[in-house]
Amino acid sequence: MGTCSVVIVSYRTGPVLIDSLRAALDQEAVDTVVLVDNGNAAETRRAIDTLAAADGRLKVIRGHGNVGFARGCNIGVKAGTGSHILLLNPDCVLRPGVVTRGLQVLAGNAEASALTVRIENTDGTEQRGGRRNLMTPWTCLVEQFRLDRLMPNHPHFQRLNLNETEPLTEITPVECISGAFMLMPRAVYDRVGGMDEDYFLHVEDVDLCFRIQETGGSILFVPDVSVTHVKGTSRVFPLVVEWHKSVSVSKYFNKHFRPQYPDLALRLISLAIFLRLAVRAVPLTFSWLAERFGAAPAPTKR
């Protein structure tokens, strides 16, 4: 079955990071937890160091600055020692036995390259983005404008995100999973070249799934075990996050869809992405200011 190294990349995460680290260290099959600290508050760093002093399996890598999520993952994977790698978000808390169950599923499905489990919100509902169809310009259009309602059973009108579809009760192949919880053999990660460091934040997990599919690998969704993804704990200004997301989506389309789409179409897609960001900038800023200073939040367009 092998062992697992958990890789967590953290930047200004907050106290939930300690819960995430403790839950990872409590997993029986985990031989190492590698924290790539891209920058955290002094109080959080002290709590991390206390935990590392108490458990030698926790490796903390610092001093490189905020190098982004993709590069951080690659740094962490190199420092891990397990036969398998679990990429885990710093605000994601593992339930008991999750890693062991994941390794058992991979051992019993030799054709599988990676898997995820049910990723839940704090209220127990399935989180958006945990299982998805592969992101293409068309699936994003269907998702954005809910074109699936026109022809709900047509294979070309399927949504990008699948959390609102019928809940799965059996292990099922999916096209794309989230970097919040992504378990795979180290050999698979190395074979596809790890995370593409051209992405600073967001979409690097989608890109990795795309390359796994390109090499003939399959990805599984395991519904009988789950993790809690807290979200909303980052101290980063949300417009900065949305900017990086927009840049990454544009890079992803240009990288993977240039043969299928003419340059003009890709430029128009990129323009639409950044126009959407511009429209969202004001409500995002007001919501962040309202939360920070205790006023009533402004409505956010989605």
Side-chain angles (χ1 to χ4, degrees), residues 114-154:
L115 63 75
T116 194
V117 299
R118 179 180 163 93
I119 300 175
E120 296 182 347
N121 298 303
T122 53
D123 63 2
T125 57
E126 185 177 357
Q127 195 165 94
R128 182 173 178 266
R131 53 185 175 105
R132 297 173 271 188
N133 285 313
L134 202 58
M135 189 169 76
T136 69
W138 174 248
T139 55
C140 286
L141 191 67
V142 170
E143 180 74 23
Q144 180 67 32
F145 295 103
R146 291 304 310 273
L147 300 180
D148 57 295
R149 292 169 177 166
L150 299 175
M151 288 186 263
N153 297 318
H154 195 286

Side-chain angles (χ1 to χ4, degrees), residues 3-286:
T3 57
C4 179
S5 292
V6 179
V7 175
I8 299 174
V9 180
S10 172
Y11 177 69
R12 300 182 67 184
T13 302
V16 71
L17 172 60
I18 306 305
D19 295 332
S20 179
L21 291 170
R22 284 178 175 147
L25 289 166
D26 283 343
Q27 299 289 313
E28 290 182 0
V30 168
D31 67 346
T32 315
V33 176
V34 182
L35 174 65
V36 183
D37 189 344
N38 280 356
N40 279 292
E43 183 179 355
T44 304
R45 291 198 305 270
R46 286 193 292 269
I48 292 166
D49 292 342
T50 299
L51 196 57
D55 194 326
R57 293 176 300 151
L58 176 56
K59 296 182 179 180
V60 182
I61 301 175
R62 290 195 184 111
H64 49 270
N66 185 12
V67 296
F69 183 75
R71 187 177 172 193
C73 285
N74 290 339
I75 290 171
V77 169
K78 288 178 183 176
T81 56
S83 60
H84 292 72
I85 299 296
L86 171 59
L87 303 180
L88 186 72
N89 269 19
D91 52 359
C92 204
V93 181
L94 299 173
R95 306 271 178 83
V98 171
V99 174
T100 298
R101 173 61 174 151
L103 293 177
Q104 289 171 345
V105 171
L106 287 174
N109 294 270
E111 76 288 351
S113 295
L115 63 75
T116 194
V117 299
R118 179 180 163 93
I119 300 175
E120 296 182 347
N121 298 303
T122 53
D123 63 2
T125 57
E126 185 177 357
Q127 195 165 94
R128 182 173 178 266
R131 53 185 175 105
R132 297 173 271 188
N133 285 313
L134 202 58
M135 189 169 76
T136 69
W138 174 248
T139 55
C140 286
L141 191 67
V142 170
E143 180 74 23
Q144 180 67 32
F145 295 103
R146 291 304 310 273
L147 300 180
D148 57 295
R149 292 169 177 166
L150 299 175
M151 288 186 263
N153 297 318
H154 195 286
H156 296 309
F157 282 80
Q158 299 301 303
R159 295 187 64 181
L160 177 66
N161 295 300
L162 301 174
N163 58 297
E164 294 181 6
T165 61
E166 190 70 23
L168 297 175
T169 57
E170 297 180 352
I171 297 171
T172 306
V174 293
E175 292 183 352
C176 186
I177 58 178
S178 168
F181 184 107
M182 188 178 280
L183 177 64
M184 69 190 73
R186 176 184 292 272
V188 170
Y189 193 87
D190 292 340
R191 186 178 71 238
V192 299
M195 288 288 192
D196 184 343
E197 296 182 10
D198 280 345
Y199 301 99
F200 185 81
L201 183 65
H202 283 291
V203 188
E204 61 286 296
D205 51 355
V206 180
D207 179 88
L208 187 66
C209 291
F210 190 103
R211 287 182 283 126
I212 287 173
Q213 302 269 6
E214 272 191 323
T215 59
S218 65
I219 302 170
L220 300 179
F221 177 80
V222 182
D224 56 90
V225 284
S226 60
V227 299
T228 301
H229 189 194
V230 179
K231 296 188 81 171
T233 62
S234 175
R235 303 298 191 265
V236 181
F237 180 38
L239 195 57
V240 173
V241 176
E242 291 298 319
W243 165 260
H244 285 301
K245 185 185 295 185
S246 299
V247 170
S248 293
V249 171
S250 182
K251 283 182 178 180
Y252 170 84
F253 286 150
N254 279 283
K255 175 181 177 180
H256 291 295
F257 295 94
R258 190 163 293 280
Q260 301 97 309
Y261 290 78
D263 284 348
L264 178 59
L266 291 172
R267 289 195 188 101
L268 289 174
I269 290 168
S270 292
L271 177 62
I273 290 167
F274 287 100
L275 283 175
R276 180 178 180 272
L277 174 64
V279 168
R280 298 190 68 203
V282 171
L284 276 171
T285 301
F286 274 110

